[in-house]
Amino acid sequence: MTTTVRGQSTIWSMRGLIWNFARRDLKSRFKGTALGWAWSLVVPLSTLLIYTIVFAVIFRIEPPPLGNGRPGNFTLFLFAGLVVWTVFANGINTGILSLLTTGGLLKKVYFPSYAPVLGSVIAVLAQSAIEVGVLLAIMVVLGNTSWTYLLVLPWAVLFVCFLSGLVHALAVLNVVFRDLSHIISVVLQLLFYLTPIIYSLSFIPEAWQGIPLRRIIGANPLTEFVTAFRNCVYDLTPPGFATWIALAAWTAVAVGFGVLVHRKLGLDLGERL
Amino acid sequence: MSDPGLSFTPSASEALVEEPSITVRNVSKAFRMHTERRDSLKERFIRGRSRGHHTFQALDGVSFTIPRGQTYALIGHNGSGKSTMLKLLAGVLRPDSGDVIADGRISALLELGAGFHGELTGRENIYLNAAILGLTRRETEQAIDRIIDFADIGEFIDAPVKTYSSGMYLRLGFAIAVTVDPQILIIDEIIAVGDEQFQRKCFDYLHSLRRKGTTIVLVSHALGIVEEMCEGAIWLDHGRMRKVGPAREIVRLYLDEVNATEIKLASEAAGADAPDATEEADASPARGGSGEVRVTDLEFVSAAGVVAPVLLTGERATFRLHYEARKPLEDVVFGLGFFTETGINVAGPNSGSGLPPVPVLAGRGTVDFQVERLTLSPGSYGVSTAVVSHSHTFDYIDRGFQLAVRGSAGGEPGLARMFGGWSAGPATVQPESSETSRSLDPPGQQPIRRPSEPATPHPTETAHA
Ligand SMILES: Nc1ncnc2c1ncn2[C@@H]1O[C@H](COP(=O)(O)OP(=O)(O)OP(=O)(O)O)[C@@H](O)[C@H]1O
Ligand SMILES: [Mg+2]
């Protein structure tokens, strides 16, 4: 079977379309709201406030010290982890539905199905960019700066690829099994607590009642990403070589998963939607 | 392709097929049936996968080529696979087997509102669609004024498209599809929802694209348009290709078959419940007269000499009145009245007015009224019968019989068909314009029909008139 009518398209040649989808997502997200864009800051900051009260004030979790030697600040410690989590969770939650909401379009004109998915990932990133900016600004004010900030860049490249591959695979699978998005929202809740966001990995006992808890949490790819990011901006210690290998490996797995699902199911969405 | 004169190849005959723009080779496509689809995991768990393999073969081994710069139509009954074929051409679907090869930028208008996102405004949708078609932002900005101009929907361009009417969807969709300079344009049956003015604009534009060498593939049930616009036609029947060839010929073959099927079905139905039908004809329609003679039946006899439920325009037709008389009568006149569904009396032939009277004996008998060429246009007619003598009415049935008339090929408007020949009269020839018009209209393609065309809804050949 050959068909040339779809033309040769690469992610790069589709950038215009991806960007269009991203703009559409951003536009519709805050359409008709009074605060508009401000919501993309208000929501995470209130989450931050609530978690700080619950975990630092009530449960008295002790944060590790800052990279510049000052005593730790739980809010900042949490913020550094929560930013990564927000991008991840928002990316999955909105991305997984992006093919269904674009469905009508895919039935009538052809374009690669990853375009709306990547568009929604970009929209989520754009929203969180403000958050990251606020975090870094606070760090700078507190004098907690180092060359390790530069490592955020390669980290971000890996993280975005990891997220995109995963989201695309889930979005396509969700067209075939519509229950997936509901299952995923439950999984995400569990994953939040299985990732060192409100605690650091060292708080976790090696084993608890025979369950190798720390090993389980450590095996979670998000643990790697959150810890590496926190190393760069909070502890100011560069992530080790093994960490980079692990990040790259997880990214490769996620992208591979995305490509595989795309090849198997993503090319015939026109008749499944 | 740069020379409009050359790209306008005269017909779809094999000799001229040089450079295919679209090649479809042995293409098949099956759909999983909707009713058996397993959308949720629960269904998969509960009912398993085994029964989920019920498929429907929408296309089965279809092959054809469309030469560059020509206009082809897909015709066939509802569900024959026309839209599916267009979706394969547009790349929305992939064939299960076979090849679909096209060279050139394809722009497709598959369904109403194709490619629109309801929440976005018309203008935002233009950007989105242009991006889907691969235009850069700069190119889109250059084209957007032309698109908005063409669509001509006023301030609605900045309203969400979900508030559009069907015609406005069409206008915007068509405007986008044609102004991006496609090399191949694919249009499903949608132009019909545009108003008269926009339809003319569409067809004018399609003609100008044709002259520029754009390959056009369209689906239409308006066979008159197909005959007139297209060089070739592809006839699909239950997913298989019946025939491909010059549009006129294929449309004729298709219509012949549709007519034949209708006649067959109608005569089967008539055979099945004939007694009911006559009883009804006796009881329900308004019936008058003194009753010495009664018309018991009216039969339509086709050119082939057999009783048929359907007659064809332009063919020989016989109307056979069956009557039953209680006593012999002299000076009897039989009459027929033909009425359209809206009640217009189209014709009323009778056996009076100087013709020798038909003698009527006691008992049963028949009277024939024969026309060499049926002049009624295709449609359904109510037929009244009357038996009178001077001013006395023996029997009258008001529209007690139904007549279906069908055409053998493309339609002319009006209640009646006039049969005649056209010929060219003396003309003053302007040297230059005759040159271009000759290159645009290859001789011998459609020599006679042209003058009869103004009746069709779009002024096609105005460019060189
Ligand atoms: N996504 C789908 N899933 C299942 N069956 C489908 C699907 N799309 C089309 N079909 C079936 O395939 C057949 C061909 O459909 P198609 O739309 O191509 O017909 P068509 O020739 O365009 O008819 P029409 O003249 O009514 O537009 C139909 O029987 C239709 O029910
Ligand atoms: Mg159709």
Side-chain angles (χ1 to χ4, degrees):
Chain A
M1 179 196 88
T2 47
T3 166
T4 66
V5 289
R6 289 186 168 184
Q8 286 296 316
S9 62
T10 57
I11 292 187
W12 179 244
S13 70
M14 285 294 128
R15 65 190 184 283
L17 182 58
I18 294 171
W19 179 237
N20 251 285
F21 279 118
R23 277 165 23 111
R24 181 198 69 179
D25 269 27
L26 286 173
K27 234 180 230 169
S28 61
R29 187 143 314 154
F30 303 114
K31 211 172 199 171
T33 58
L35 281 185
W37 268 87
W39 277 118
S40 60
L41 209 51
V42 172
V43 173
L45 290 184
S46 0
T47 315
L48 197 59
L49 185 69
I50 293 166
Y51 284 169
T52 303
I53 292 169
V54 173
F55 296 107
V57 179
I58 302 175
F59 287 102
R60 302 201 170 275
I61 293 180
E62 280 293 323
L66 280 166
N68 62 1
R70 292 202 198 187
N73 175 319
F74 182 78
T75 309
L76 280 183
F77 171 80
L78 178 63
F79 198 178
L82 205 56
V83 162
V84 179
W85 174 259
T86 311
V87 175
F88 180 76
N90 282 352
I92 301 263
N93 279 330
T94 58
I96 198 170
L97 295 176
S98 60
L99 284 177
L100 289 184
T101 50
T102 321
L105 228 57
L106 265 169
K107 279 197 291 191
K108 295 163 184 170
V109 276
Y110 173 72
F111 52 87
S113 57
Y114 55 72
V117 179
L118 296 185
S120 79
V121 169
I122 287 174
V124 167
L125 290 174
Q127 264 182 277
S128 295
I130 309 174
E131 243 175 289
V132 175
V134 171
L135 174 67
L136 292 184
I138 296 173
M139 292 296 192
V140 169
V141 167
L142 293 179
N144 191 40
T145 53
S146 162
W147 66 273
T148 51
Y149 277 23
L150 294 179
L151 292 177
V152 172
L153 222 63
W155 174 89
V157 169
L158 290 175
F159 184 57
V160 169
C161 292
F162 169 78
L163 180 61
S164 302
L166 190 60
V167 171
H168 183 52
L170 293 178
V172 171
L173 287 172
N174 187 49
V175 173
V176 185
F177 323 105
R178 306 276 163 111
D179 309 58
L180 192 63
S181 60
H182 302 283
I183 296 174
I184 289 294
S185 68
V186 175
V187 170
L188 279 180
Q189 282 194 31
L190 180 65
L191 201 60
F192 178 78
Y193 292 101
L194 285 183
T195 307
I197 297 165
I198 45 179
Y199 53 85
S200 64
L201 196 55
S202 52
F203 284 14
I204 302 300
E206 285 286 355
W208 176 74
Q209 302 206 339
I211 305 167
L213 214 51
R214 194 183 296 186
R215 191 101 63 75
I216 291 175
I217 293 174
N220 164 9
L222 266 188
T223 301
E224 299 282 359
F225 279 104
V226 168
T227 310
F229 181 75
R230 212 177 243 155
N231 285 343
C232 294
V233 303
Y234 187 90
D235 314 320
L236 306 182
T237 52
F241 186 67
T243 306
W244 287 109
I245 294 292
L247 292 183
W250 278 118
T251 303
V253 167
V255 170
F257 184 39
V259 171
L260 186 74
V261 171
H262 184 73
R263 294 231 174 105
K264 281 266 180 238
L265 299 166
L267 297 171
D268 291 315
L269 294 181
E271 59 194 276
R272 290 183 185 267
L273 279 160
Chain B
M1 210 157 92
S2 54
D3 183 347
L6 281 179
S7 70
F8 214 69
T9 34
S11 81
S13 65
E14 287 300 311
L16 288 151
V17 177
E18 346 83 5
E19 220 186 332
S21 175
I22 296 172
T23 307
V24 170
R25 216 180 290 133
N26 211 10
V27 160
S28 298
K29 179 77 194 170
F31 289 111
R32 292 188 302 151
M33 287 305 282
H34 222 69
T35 47
E36 290 292 328
R37 219 161 72 165
R38 298 279 184 275
D39 267 345
S40 68
L41 287 174
K42 185 177 150 208
E43 283 175 79
R44 273 180 192 262
F45 283 132
I46 292 172
R47 287 196 270 167
R49 294 198 65 161
S50 52
R51 289 201 298 140
H53 289 303
H54 179 58
T55 58
F56 176 81
Q57 197 72 33
L59 286 174
D60 193 0
V62 175
S63 305
F64 57 83
T65 56
I66 298 179
R68 187 184 303 287
Q70 299 215 341
T71 303
Y72 266 60
L74 294 175
I75 60 175
H77 60 85
N78 290 138
S80 55
K82 304 180 295 296
S83 300
T84 306
M85 191 67 239
L86 290 192
K87 282 183 178 162
L88 289 169
L89 291 178
V92 173
L93 301 177
R94 292 192 308 165
D96 295 336
S97 64
D99 309 319
V100 180
I101 297 161
D103 59 357
R105 167 147 62 181
I106 300 175
S107 176
L109 206 50
L110 291 181
E111 286 167 43
L112 213 51
F116 288 146
H117 196 267
E119 300 293 332
L120 297 184
T121 68
R123 193 184 298 274
E124 289 164 343
N125 266 301
I126 294 177
Y127 280 105
L128 185 63
N129 272 273
I132 290 173
L133 289 166
L135 267 69
T136 64
R137 205 170 165 80
R138 177 148 328 126
E139 286 171 318
T140 313
E141 246 131 44
Q142 280 165 2
I144 197 161
D145 287 336
R146 264 195 303 151
I147 295 174
I148 293 175
D149 243 32
F150 195 102
D152 192 20
I153 53 173
E155 60 191 9
F156 276 94
I157 195 70
D158 289 311
V161 298
K162 64 179 179 190
T163 63
Y164 283 20
S165 72
S166 314
M168 285 155 72
Y169 268 116
L170 164 70
R171 279 163 174 261
L172 191 59
F174 193 86
I176 296 172
V178 298
T179 36
V180 295
D181 270 336
Q183 277 134 24
I184 298 171
L185 181 65
I186 293 171
I187 304 179
D188 207 335
E189 172 116 52
I190 50 160
I191 294 177
V193 300
D195 59 25
E196 182 64 26
Q197 181 247 343
F198 192 73
Q199 281 196 25
R200 289 185 195 177
K201 197 156 134 185
C202 288
F203 285 113
D204 279 354
Y205 203 90
L206 289 184
H207 277 280
S208 78
L209 280 180
R210 231 166 84 137
R211 279 193 287 275
K212 276 196 276 180
T214 309
T215 309
I216 303 173
V217 187
L218 51 88
V219 163
S220 181
H221 291 289
L223 297 173
I225 290 175
V226 171
E227 277 191 316
E228 189 222 327
M229 278 215 44
C230 304
E231 275 99 5
I234 295 153
W235 173 11
L236 292 179
D237 187 357
H238 292 99
R240 294 211 177 77
M241 201 178 70
R242 278 291 286 272
K243 237 176 171 59
V244 56
R248 232 154 253 269
E249 193 182 311
I250 302 297
V251 166
R252 189 148 305 139
L253 289 172
Y254 172 61
L255 272 173
D256 284 349
E257 176 166 297
V258 172
N259 290 338
T261 315
E262 184 180 2
I263 290 171
K264 201 173 125 233
L265 286 179
S267 43
E268 276 169 19
D273 48 29
D276 274 20
T278 41
E279 222 163 82
E280 231 173 282
D282 266 357
S284 58
R287 182 157 207 167
S290 53
E292 287 87 343
V293 195
R294 288 287 188 207
V295 169
T296 53
D297 198 9
L298 176 65
E299 281 176 340
F300 309 119
V301 182
S302 72
V306 294
V307 175
V310 168
L311 295 175
L312 299 177
T313 300
E315 305 273 304
R316 178 158 15 140
T318 305
F319 300 87
R320 182 163 297 153
L321 279 160
H322 290 255
Y323 65 82
E324 189 170 359
R326 286 198 220 132
K327 57 181 186 186
L329 295 161
E330 276 165 35
D331 251 8
V332 174
V333 172
F334 289 88
L336 292 170
F338 294 88
F339 293 84
T340 64
E341 277 164 347
T342 51
I344 297 170
N345 187 189
V346 185
N350 64 65
S351 65
S353 48
L355 296 170
V358 184
V360 170
L361 305 171
R364 290 163 180 273
T366 62
V367 186
D368 278 6
F369 171 62
Q370 187 175 78
V371 292
E372 275 312 300
R373 308 187 81 176
L374 184 63
T375 50
L376 293 174
S377 279
S380 359
Y381 298 87
V383 185
S384 302
T385 57
V387 190
V388 299
S389 174
H390 303 294
S391 56
H392 178 77
T393 305
F394 294 119
D395 186 42
Y396 177 72
I397 307 173
D398 185 20
R399 280 167 269 180
F401 304 92
Q402 280 297 316
L403 167 64
V405 177
R406 297 292 177 256
S408 53
E412 280 177 21
L415 287 178
R417 182 69 65 91
M418 298 176 86
F419 297 99
W422 294 85
S423 55
T428 8
V429 178
Q430 284 175 2
E432 241 144 69
S433 66
S434 74
E435 183 71 20
T436 51
S437 96
R438 196 164 305 139
S439 70
L440 282 173
D441 287 311
Q445 193 196 357
Q446 13 179 250
I448 314 270
R449 190 153 178 265
R450 194 157 305 270
S452 71
E453 272 177 7
T456 50
H458 27 84
T460 43
E461 311 297 337
T462 42
H464 56 86

